[in-house]
Amino acid sequence: GAGVSQSPSNKVTEKGKDVELRCDPISGHTALYWYRQSLGQGLEFLIYFQGNSAPDKSGLPSDRFSAERTGGSVSTLTIQRTQQEDSAVYLCASSLGKNTGELFFGEGSRLTVL
Amino acid sequence: GEDVEQSLFLSVREGDSSVINCTYTDSSSTYLYWYKQEPGAGLQLLTYIFSNMDMKQDQRLTVLLNKKDKHLSLRIADTQTGDSAIYFCAEGTSGGSYIPTFGRGTSLIVHP
């Protein structure tokens, strides 16, 4: 597609369940980012993938969070044993991977944990 | 670590100018950005400025950078209701992992 695609757009789950959020970046973009947007908290960096390098996981808030990127393209963010404080909009972005570049964001996946 | 601060809300009348301010702490910032987020949408790059510049103008948008004070502003001339959105300031540093740091966002409300 022309832009960054995320799914699902909305996810409601019960506390303790696992969830998977998917991101399909723009074709040819080597860098992929996950950010979390909570009410009043701005964008919180979670994880960064660049080409074949080891991902920068420094923003993941706990070991319940993990992400992978298969074949340098699609990425999946997994949250295990969800908690209510995980409720947020999870934004994925991709870029050409140069250190000057614009990030292109998807519309986000809104996660609500009951 | 790096920190980017913005005020949370700004309300202006249609036709007036809007000025959104941002401060950052990372003195090695190379690029400073303004992103716009409309309701229900992702962020879109509005404009950016290199750290060796003081000002950049792009149609109704003027970006001013005071590197000494680490202060960035975005001025929108002749603000329209369609400008109502959340505006995020972000900074990035070239070299190593390129992970822009974003502020909390300023909600701009434009009323008739």
Side-chain angles (χ1 to χ4, degrees), chain B residues 33-51:
Chain B
Y33 306 87
W34 286 103
Y35 281 80
K36 178 182 180 182
Q37 184 182 33
E38 296 184 352
L43 280 70
Q44 281 193 300
L45 183 67
L46 201 56
T47 187
Y48 66 93
I49 190 168
F50 297 120
S51 61

Side-chain angles (χ1 to χ4, degrees), chain A residues 33 35 37 56 99-100 103 106, chain B residues 31 35 37 42 95 98-100:
Chain A
Y33 304 78
Y35 285 87
Q37 184 177 21
D56 184 326
N99 288 349
T100 59
L103 269 60
Chain B
Y31 306 95
Y35 281 80
Q37 184 182 33
Y98 181 70
I99 303 171

Side-chain angles (χ1 to χ4, degrees), chain B:
Chain B
E2 303 88 357
D3 198 17
V4 177
E5 297 286 342
Q6 303 177 237
S7 54
L8 294 183
F9 298 99
L10 177 65
S11 178
V12 300
R13 196 180 299 274
E14 191 175 18
D16 287 351
S17 291
S18 308
V19 179
I20 303 172
N21 295 299
C22 168
T23 57
Y24 60 97
T25 57
D26 189 354
S27 57
S28 62
S29 295
T30 315
Y31 306 95
L32 295 130
Y33 306 87
W34 286 103
Y35 281 80
K36 178 182 180 182
Q37 184 182 33
E38 296 184 352
L43 280 70
Q44 281 193 300
L45 183 67
L46 201 56
T47 187
Y48 66 93
I49 190 168
F50 297 120
S51 61
N52 61 359
M53 297 168 66
D54 298 323
M55 184 182 89
K56 180 178 180 181
Q57 186 137 10
D58 184 359
Q59 299 182 336
R60 292 190 296 121
L61 305 178
T62 303
V63 179
L64 294 178
L65 175 60
N66 181 328
K67 197 172 178 183
K68 174 176 169 290
D69 294 339
K70 301 191 189 71
H71 182 269
L72 183 73
S73 68
L74 173 69
R75 179 177 179 269
I76 306 172
D78 186 26
T79 314
Q80 302 298 306
T81 54
D83 295 324
S84 294
I86 303 175
Y87 291 81
F88 290 88
C89 173
E91 64 85 24
T93 305
S94 59
S97 293
Y98 181 70
I99 303 171
T101 301
F102 287 80
R104 292 187 176 192
T106 299
S107 288
L108 174 64
I109 300 163
V110 183
H111 50 91

